[in-house]
Amino acid sequence: MKYIKQFVIGSSCLIFFPFYYSVQNSQPKKTYSYYNYTLTAPIWFGIWNIISLIIAEHFNLSNRLRFLLISIISSLSIMCIAYNLKSYNFTKNEWLKYFGFIFIKYLFTWNITIFLLEKYI
């Protein structure tokens, strides 16, 4: 039951809506379908939230450390996936900006939004 809660929190609209908005409105160089993105983004965050709980339980991490760690791991993984699958037609400079943007966005999403949802639900 606790894993279902983690998945629901991670896949809630409060989490993925900002990502939908930015992909739809500020990513004209994307090479993937927005429709496919809208299906995978909630699943992505839901699964990562379950993984973060498993890691935290295994290593006895506090929630703060749990979310800091998973924000780094999940952001690095999405950066690698996006770069290797050539999800965007970016120049080298645009890729660097994208990596910085994703890192900051993931830090905010995990350490503020998901942390607060976990705390109060």
Side-chain angles (χ1 to χ4, degrees):
M1 193 65 163
K2 64 183 172 183
Y3 297 122
I4 293 173
K5 176 186 171 190
Q6 300 308 308
F7 185 82
V8 169
I9 289 172
S11 63
S12 71
C13 66
L14 291 173
I15 306 305
F16 62 79
F17 181 73
F19 290 89
Y20 282 3
Y21 183 80
S22 68
V23 166
Q24 178 67 23
N25 296 310
S26 63
Q27 292 296 351
K29 294 185 175 187
K30 65 184 174 293
T31 61
Y32 53 87
S33 158
Y34 181 73
Y35 174 78
N36 290 338
Y37 180 77
T38 61
L39 296 176
T40 57
I43 295 168
W44 172 264
F45 279 101
I47 290 172
W48 272 111
N49 203 27
I50 293 170
I51 292 169
S52 74
L53 179 64
I54 293 169
I55 291 170
E57 288 176 341
H58 186 273
F59 293 105
N60 197 25
L61 303 176
S62 68
N63 272 345
R64 278 285 175 207
L65 188 54
R66 167 191 168 193
F67 291 123
L68 179 61
L69 180 66
I70 208 65
S71 64
I72 294 168
I73 294 170
S74 64
S75 68
L76 289 174
S77 67
I78 199 64
M79 288 177 210
C80 289
I81 290 168
Y83 185 77
N84 289 319
L85 293 180
K86 310 235 183 296
S87 298
Y88 301 97
N89 294 318
F90 285 160
T91 64
K92 187 176 183 177
N93 190 37
E94 289 173 322
W95 275 112
L96 293 174
K97 288 179 184 177
Y98 170 79
F99 294 153
F101 177 71
I102 286 296
F103 187 72
I104 291 167
K105 199 172 198 180
Y106 269 59
L107 281 173
F108 179 83
T109 299
W110 285 104
N111 292 287
I112 297 180
T113 311
I114 295 176
F115 175 80
L116 291 174
L117 284 174
E118 292 267 336
K119 185 175 180 179
Y120 293 112
I121 293 179

